[in-house]
């Protein structure tokens, strides 16, 4: 008997379900369409899946891939896979077949669980999967033909609902691998530890004020950083998950009102589509907390959200830090500010979460930039909420961890009050005549023009100024405007050196997740040139 | 550079103040009488105290004793002592001189900080203090003469407000030692680790729903389990501490209303004195959460608390588990129950906190008792929220940790819904004709009689039945009742074998903290006999 076990138990999300299987056995854990699972039933299904995986030959550390929507099996996997001793790989459902093949081979998945609606993505690559030994179909909708393989519900029957004993012995073991979206090359497998997932889950509970009464709606995909760890956090607090196969604004409003949803997470672009939907109620009956990330919420968005009686929390993070890492923590003295002022403060990415220990904005020599709200530097992070590394890629890990800090690649300023504000992705910054121009700032200016539907600004080489901004713009349908008119518009709003010198009207290249691939735009422009590195 | 540092930082309450020194530098951290300290000022004073301690010769692991009330220095110590590398020993201000001397010598304190009002407790023992090298007077009230030694504010001046670098290198290092009250012998020094204090603090935030808007009133002494870790928890969330030198119901109500107090912790007996006070308002303006422990809250108390618009949370724990360990977690389906039914459910000690991993009720062979709400067993605990051991007492530690679990010495039943209910202290159970009688149950019966002011029930030897219950009763002033009348009263309410066979009208012996010393009552009755051990 190791006496340390008395007072040092493993930090792992597995404790969450172990506790709530008892504490909330009769409480509803998951609502999905007409189905309701209590914590007791949720746990039984988790145990079935975990023991089923072991019976099918899962060995400790094996990767188990899930390629499916926000349905109950995806939630079950978040506990069952690590309980069995495996490592969960939740794959983005919007990826193209070759991208999925790359991920499955890179992580060496032994099991692949697929929603039958996505079977057509797998079919063309099935022969190129080097390690997958078991394919299990999640037949959520009957009309889709399954792949050759087992059926999810039948697979659960191969296991049993009795408690499954843990096999982890170290809280630093890997619980999941999440692939980056790869806006600049091959996706990388970001490894999360049990300890990190545990600490981050408690952080989410505290920062977004989850309670046992919380009803959380799954608008955020669970394949994004394990749903920003809310898969574990909502379970930890004993709240209710509302699963959501597909995002549809009218349906989301219906669920919010019908089930008394208290929390949801989504990017501003999703929130805009929600608020502009005709089913958006004038006032919510239940207080709703919306946590947003990916871009700063605009003053209009913030105003609209408080109008309907909801609260917005702005957070920032990356796949490499388990999702959210900083939060635009409200200060009591912001209360009396007008909406524009408040929105300006709330648009900042903020301060570290409880549990997020290290956050700095540094120059190329790892010195902190002055906290003047002006000087840009790279955001670096350290501590329990940072990934343990990239799977099977020691070189990329070492590069990301240089100087003992994780390098985010994001450029920010540090405000005098300790709040960070992201100015740009590091590789997107434009360095013109020695001045740094944030591509985001130029894009935000362009977006203010009513003719602009979408845009992307990049640096292009210039013989004298080093680099200059160039904009790629998609106009709204039926609208016309000239390059010079749009440049003139920018000149009225931002400094001359920040204005695009060229504008190209075009469609923008995007990843399957909808992110603009600036590197493809840059590639064309930089043939024969070498791009400067910020701060280098 | 150890690459692990990037993704594995130490779990310690020191991170809380480090974060909030930045995030809430201008927010009020502490209110005490006319003084208000911002988090910036709180941090500066902590740094002064920590560096002052180092300048005065504190070496890593040295014990630093604080013998004072709930004033700002006591809060400062909770961060400054571990920041300097020391171990905090907060001593109960109600102890007698000899008891204080025992503790100071047992822990080998090098520093002793004393509120001058308590100087008279130290004077008679000063010559017997074997290890104390520095005495520092906290002169909160000018009228009391200080001990020979330094002054607290002057001591802070010997340090400086700049950030102090940490010296801990392992999260399992000891952050504090808390002495048990010693109802059954010498007090024992319970060691808390940085990791345990961290996890417990997050647990308190989550279970009692602390937020950055929380205003916490210090009715609970900080020398009790470091204020159940609220010293760290309230600081972690960035709430406001309201310090309170002495408990006075009228003053407490004034503070609650004046400062908009949202949270306080107190034993039911304190709550009763609060609610019966003439300044108790009919309805609170600010929602108040009251966390109580030490005894189950009565239906009357629960009703009264909800009448004034407050919420009660019932928790249970011991010094050995950082204070609260279980919570009478509300279930949604309790809502429609009447107050008596609800009170019955809330009177149970409940289920483990988030973060409290192991909780069982076991028989003498460490087998779980059936979850039938009837069979008694000992409460045992395991995990991060259990002490690392008794200071300098390997034997007592080993005894407490036998079988790999911490033995609480409390007897409980496990209900079918997984909630525990404490029935008695193990040594207080009465075993009569093979039946277990809870002394608490008999006492509760006696308390229902209006003549009874105080009582204690113990087992006394009996030739045939092994043991029988005997009651020691103090009557209210001016009331008369005979032994037989009171026994008859019991017979109307509880089973015959549970009723006292003898009643002695007397004053009850108590510790300096007001706990009844049953062992002294037992000692007289058991001369020449040997008491059975439960389950043995």
């Amino acid at each position: 008997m190791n006496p340390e076990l008395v007072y040092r138990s493993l930090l792992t999300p597995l404790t969450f379900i172990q506790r709530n299987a008892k504490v909330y056995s009769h409480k509803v854990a998951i609502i999905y369409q007409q189905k309701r699972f209590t914590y007791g039933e949720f746990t039984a299904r988790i145990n079935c899946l975990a023991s089923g995986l072991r019976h099918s030959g899962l060995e400790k550390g094996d990767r188990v891939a899930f390629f499916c929507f926000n349905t109950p099996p995806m939630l079950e996997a978040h506990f069952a896979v690590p309980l069995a001793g495996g490592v969960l790989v939740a794959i983005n459902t919007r990826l193209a077949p070759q991208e999925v093949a790359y991920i499955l081979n890179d992580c060496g998945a032994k099991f692949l669980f697929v929603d039958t609606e996505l079977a057509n993505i797998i079919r063309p690559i099935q022969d190129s999967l080097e390690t997958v030994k078991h394919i299990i179909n999640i037949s959520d909708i009957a009309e889709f033909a399954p792949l050759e393989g087992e059926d999810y519900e039948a697979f659960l029957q191969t296991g049993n609902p009795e408690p499954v004993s843990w096999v982890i012995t170290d809280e630093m073991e890997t619980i999941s691998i999440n692939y980056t979206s790869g806006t600049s090359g091959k996706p990388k497998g970001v490894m999360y530890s049990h300890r990190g997932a545990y600490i981050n889950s408690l952080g989410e509970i505290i920062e977004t004020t989850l309670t046992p009464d919380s009803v959380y709606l799954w608008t955020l995909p669970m394949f994004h950083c394990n749903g920003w760890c809310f898969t574990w956090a909502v379970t930890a607090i004993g709240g209710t998950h509302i699963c959501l196969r597909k995002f549809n604004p009218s349906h989301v409003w219906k669920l919010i009102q019908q089930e008394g949803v208290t929390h949801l997470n989504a990017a501003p672009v999703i929130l805009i589509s929600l608020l502009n939907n005709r089913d958006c109620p004038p006032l919510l009956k239940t207080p709703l907390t919306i946590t947003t990330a990916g871009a700063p919420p605009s003053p209009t968005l913030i105003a609209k959200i408080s109008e309907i009686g909801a609260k917005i929390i702005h957070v920032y993070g990356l796949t490499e830090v388990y999702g959210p890492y900083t939060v635009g923590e409200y200060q009591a003295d912001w209360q009396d500010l007008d909406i524009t002022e408040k929105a300006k403060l709330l648009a900042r990415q903020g301060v570290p979460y409880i549990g997020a220990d290290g956050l700095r904005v540094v120059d190329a020599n790892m010195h902190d930039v002055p906290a003047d709200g002006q000087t840009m530097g790279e955001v670096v992070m350290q501590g329990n909420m940072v990934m343990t590394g990239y799977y099977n890629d020691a070189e990329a890990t070492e590069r990301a961890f240089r100087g003992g800090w994780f390098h985010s690649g994001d450029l920010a300023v540090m405000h005098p009050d300790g709040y960070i504000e992201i100015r740009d992705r590091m590789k997107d910054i434009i360095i013109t005549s020695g001045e740094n121009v944030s591509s985001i700032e130029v894009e935000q200016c362009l977006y203010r023009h009513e003719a602009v539907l979408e845009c992307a600004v990049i640096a292009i080489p210039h013989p004298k100024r080093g680099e200059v901004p160039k904009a790629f713009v998609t106009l709204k349908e039926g609208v016309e405007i000239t390059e010079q008119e749009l440049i003139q518009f920018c000149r009225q709003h931002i400094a001359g050196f920040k204005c695009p010198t060229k504008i190209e009207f075009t469609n923008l290249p995007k990843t399957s997740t909808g992110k603009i691939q600036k590197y493809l735009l840059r590639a064309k422009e930089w043939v024969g040139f070498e791009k400067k590195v910020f701060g280098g």
Side-chain angles (χ1 to χ4, degrees), chain A:
Chain A
M1 181 75 219
N2 177 358
E4 218 191 47
L5 288 178
V6 185
Y7 52 79
R8 194 178 184 287
S9 48
L10 298 174
L11 296 176
T12 159
L14 293 177
T15 58
F16 302 150
I17 191 68
Q18 183 172 275
R19 173 184 189 261
N20 288 341
K22 291 178 199 158
V23 175
Y24 294 119
S25 63
H26 297 296
K27 189 181 176 188
V28 175
I30 304 176
I31 296 175
Y32 179 55
Q33 298 170 346
Q34 303 316 311
K35 290 180 210 149
R36 280 163 192 257
F37 297 106
T38 63
Y39 270 95
E41 292 163 336
F42 183 23
T43 308
R45 289 174 62 85
I46 288 166
N47 291 335
C48 285
L49 178 51
S51 49
L53 283 167
R54 287 209 197 145
H55 293 163
S56 292
L58 178 135
E59 283 168 50
K60 194 173 163 180
D62 280 349
R63 274 76 60 217
V64 178
F66 268 71
F67 188 50
C68 71
F69 304 100
N70 281 355
T71 56
M74 186 75 268
L75 267 182
E76 287 152 15
H78 275 83
F79 294 92
V81 172
L83 180 58
V87 175
L88 177 64
V89 184
I91 301 175
N92 191 325
T93 54
R94 296 164 196 150
L95 295 181
Q98 286 314 319
E99 292 171 309
V100 176
Y102 175 81
I103 289 172
L104 288 168
N105 289 332
D106 187 67
C107 76
K110 189 188 265 188
F111 292 83
L112 171 60
F113 290 74
V114 185
D115 186 287
T116 48
E117 187 178 343
L118 300 167
N120 278 340
I121 312 275
I122 302 299
R123 273 193 193 92
I125 56 170
Q126 221 171 331
D127 289 343
S128 64
L129 301 182
E130 297 157 12
T131 57
V132 172
K133 288 204 169 55
H134 299 268
I135 289 184
I136 297 99
N137 291 284
I138 301 170
S139 295
D140 193 42
I141 295 185
E143 68 190 83
F144 298 106
L147 295 164
E148 197 172 322
E150 300 165 74
D151 170 74
Y152 186 74
E153 293 297 330
F155 190 83
L156 293 191
Q157 298 298 319
T158 66
N160 83 70
E162 293 307 308
V164 174
S165 58
W166 297 6
V167 290
I168 63 161
T169 55
D170 181 342
E171 63 198 32
M172 293 312 297
E173 288 176 26
T174 302
I175 189 169
S176 62
I177 301 176
N178 289 288
Y179 277 80
T180 58
S181 58
T183 42
S184 57
K186 287 282 181 202
K188 290 192 284 285
V190 174
M191 294 186 291
Y192 290 6
S193 71
H194 283 258
R195 175 181 165 110
Y198 181 96
I199 299 285
N200 199 86
S201 298
L202 297 193
E204 295 299 351
I205 291 173
I206 293 170
E207 295 295 350
T208 71
T209 57
L210 292 173
T211 74
D213 297 327
S214 295
V215 178
Y216 178 80
L217 178 62
W218 273 105
T219 43
L220 176 81
M222 295 187 206
F223 56 70
H224 275 163
C225 315
N226 300 116
W228 300 357
C229 296
F230 277 69
T231 45
W232 297 309
V234 173
T235 307
I237 196 69
T240 301
H241 295 270
I242 302 191
C243 284
L244 191 65
R245 189 177 169 83
K246 293 272 172 75
F247 177 81
N248 167 296
S250 292
H251 183 53
V252 164
W253 284 123
K254 196 181 141 202
L255 283 174
I256 287 175
Q257 297 187 87
Q258 182 179 299
E259 304 292 354
V261 169
T262 61
H263 290 76
L264 65 82
N265 302 342
V269 55
I270 300 282
L271 295 177
I272 291 166
S273 79
L274 263 181
L275 291 162
N276 290 335
N277 179 270
R278 70 195 146 83
D279 293 319
C280 174
L283 193 65
L284 290 163
K285 282 174 297 180
T286 310
L288 175 66
T289 298
I290 297 172
T291 305
T292 196
S298 69
T300 328
L301 185 62
I302 295 174
K304 182 84 187 166
I305 283 175
S306 51
E307 234 169 67
I308 64 163
K311 181 191 170 176
I312 192 155
I313 299 177
H314 178 207
V315 300
Y316 153 78
L318 302 94
T319 303
E320 284 87 342
V321 294
Y322 297 75
Y325 191 90
T326 69
V327 53
E329 201 82 70
Y330 285 85
Q331 298 282 345
D333 53 9
W334 294 0
Q335 216 170 329
D336 302 327
L337 298 176
D338 67 37
I339 184 73
T340 325
E341 276 305 304
K342 207 187 267 181
K344 222 169 127 185
L345 293 169
L346 260 188
R348 304 181 306 169
Q349 280 68 21
V351 295
Y353 264 51
I354 288 184
D357 290 328
L359 176 72
R360 295 168 62 202
V361 178
V362 298
D363 65 19
N365 300 316
M366 291 297 287
H367 296 128
D368 289 83
V369 300
D372 56 10
Q374 302 252 334
T375 314
M376 275 195 273
E378 187 179 10
V379 177
V380 295
M381 292 122 156
Q382 198 183 60
N384 297 309
M385 278 171 57
V386 170
M387 66 163 181
T388 57
Y390 293 115
Y391 185 72
N392 248 341
D393 196 342
E395 199 196 309
T397 303
E398 208 172 302
R399 202 163 51 237
F401 284 179
R402 65 194 179 276
W405 289 74
F406 166 68
H407 290 253
S408 69
D410 283 328
L411 288 174
V413 297
M414 177 65 82
H415 285 280
D417 62 357
Y419 283 57
I420 65 161
E421 186 173 356
I422 303 292
R423 286 291 165 83
D424 215 340
R425 284 294 294 168
M426 206 149 153
K427 56 186 178 301
D428 294 340
I429 199 81
I430 301 148
I431 308 175
T432 183
S433 305
E435 296 285 346
N436 296 321
V437 177
S438 152
S439 65
I440 292 175
E441 191 186 352
V442 185
E443 288 159 9
Q444 281 174 342
C445 172
L446 286 165
Y447 274 121
R448 278 193 256 167
H449 195 289
E450 53 184 15
V452 174
L453 178 70
E454 276 188 327
C455 67
V457 172
I458 63 159
I460 56 168
H462 186 275
K464 288 199 178 148
R465 295 164 61 191
E467 300 176 3
V468 286
K470 174 175 177 181
F472 295 80
V473 172
T474 313
L475 293 176
K476 288 181 184 161
E477 260 191 45
V479 192
E480 275 183 44
I481 189 171
T482 67
E483 180 180 11
Q484 280 315 311
E485 280 168 342
L486 206 45
I487 293 177
Q488 202 46 45
F489 173 82
C490 290
R491 291 192 172 272
Q492 287 161 20
H493 291 89
I494 51 176
F497 72 93
K498 296 180 180 175
C499 292
T501 54
K502 286 188 187 173
I503 295 185
E504 188 174 328
F505 297 102
T506 178
N507 283 321
L508 304 174
K510 291 183 189 168
T511 66
S512 48
T513 66
K515 286 196 187 174
I516 297 170
Q517 292 165 305
K518 286 193 182 177
Y519 76 99
L520 290 180
L521 297 173
R522 263 194 301 266
K524 284 197 304 186
E525 305 286 341
W526 285 81
V527 177
F529 291 90
E530 200 176 321
K531 172 125 176 55
K532 268 197 200 170
V533 176
F534 173 85

